[in-house]
Amino acid sequence: MKKSILYLSAICILVACSTMKTAELSQQDVDKVKPLYPNYTLAELKEGKTLYSEKCTLCHSLKNPTSESSKKWPHIVAEMTNMANEKTLTISPKQEDLIIKYLVTMTTTSK
Ligand code: HEC
C-alpha cells in the first residue's frame, strides 16, 4: 500500500516536470518574433515544439534548438523534411512551417 503511494507520487512528480517544460514557452517568446511572424500565436509555438519532438526524433536524437542559427534552421528543416518524406515519414508543409517557426523562436529568444 505504502509502496503504491510512493509510485504514485513519483509519477505525479514526473508528470509535473514534463508539463512544466512546455509551460516554459510563454507569450513573451511569441512577442520576440512578432517582427518576423506578425500573426504567430502561443498555441502555434507549442504545436511546433510538439511536432519538433515527434518528427525530428525519427532518425536521430533531438538537436538542441540553439545549436543552429535562426538563418540556418529553415534550410536544415527543409532538407530534413525532404529526407523524411522520401522515407514516407511524412512531414507536411504546415508541420514544417510550425517546426521552423518554433526553432527560429528558440534561437531568437536565446540571444
Ligand atoms: C529521414 C530521417 C531524418 C529526419 C526525419 C530528420 N533528420 Fe535531421 N538528420 C538526418 C541525417 C541522416 C543527418 C546527418 C547527415 C546529414 O546532415 O545529411 C541529420 C542531421 C541533422 C542536423 C545536423 C546538421 C546537418 O545539417 O547535418 C540537424 C541540426 C538536424 N538533422 C535537424 C533535424 C530536424 C530539425 C528535424 C525535423 C524537422 C530532423 N533533423 C529530422 C536525418 C533525419
Side-chain angles (χ1 to χ4, degrees), residues 50-61:
T50 307
L51 285 168
Y52 176 59
S53 50
E54 277 173 9
K55 301 284 182 184
C56 305
T57 47
L58 295 172
C59 304
H60 48 66
S61 60

Side-chain angles (χ1 to χ4, degrees), residues 51-52 55-60 63 67-68 73 76-77 79-81 83-85 87 89 91 99 103:
L51 285 168
Y52 176 59
K55 301 284 182 184
C56 305
T57 47
L58 295 172
C59 304
H60 48 66
K63 313 276 177 189
S67 65
E68 305 286 341
W73 273 128
I76 293 172
V77 175
E79 193 187 311
M80 295 297 147
T81 300
M83 271 203 276
N85 288 338
K87 298 194 176 195
L89 299 168
I91 299 175
I99 295 171
L103 290 169

